[in-house]
Amino acid sequence: MGMLKPWHIIVLVVVILLLFGARRLPDLAKSVGQSLKIFKSEVKDLREDDNPPPAAGGPGTTNPSTGTSAPTVTGGTTSPEPGDTSKG
């Protein structure tokens, strides 16, 4: 048992062409590519699920309805945005 030689690859390609036909090969390659893309995204999601979420308790409070963090507002005034002509 040695390495694959170029004529091995040629015979393999010819057999695949005979089995599937030239018309079905692009569709077959497209579906294999989509399957690999889905598989990679699922593996990535599983890896992210294994990592613990970042620790809560930074500045701000957590909004219970959305689970997002809102910044803590301290006293003071805000400057108007450039181009704001309202005098509110």
Side-chain angles (χ1 to χ4, degrees):
M1 291 246 139
M3 295 176 58
L4 285 177
K5 296 186 172 130
W7 68 272
H8 288 120
I9 296 172
I10 292 171
V11 169
L12 184 64
V13 168
V14 169
V15 168
I16 290 173
L17 278 172
L18 289 174
L19 286 175
F20 295 107
R23 289 185 180 171
R24 287 199 54 200
L25 282 180
D27 294 334
L28 183 67
K30 182 179 179 182
S31 25
V32 168
Q34 288 175 344
S35 299
L36 284 176
K37 183 178 179 182
I38 292 170
F39 179 74
K40 286 181 182 180
S41 68
E42 292 298 325
V43 168
K44 182 180 176 186
D45 288 343
L46 285 175
R47 286 186 181 161
E48 289 175 356
D49 287 345
D50 289 344
N51 294 336
T61 59
T62 303
N63 185 349
S65 64
T66 61
T68 58
S69 178
T72 304
V73 179
T74 57
T77 61
T78 58
S79 60
E81 293 292 323
D84 187 13
T85 57
S86 64
K87 297 203 178 216

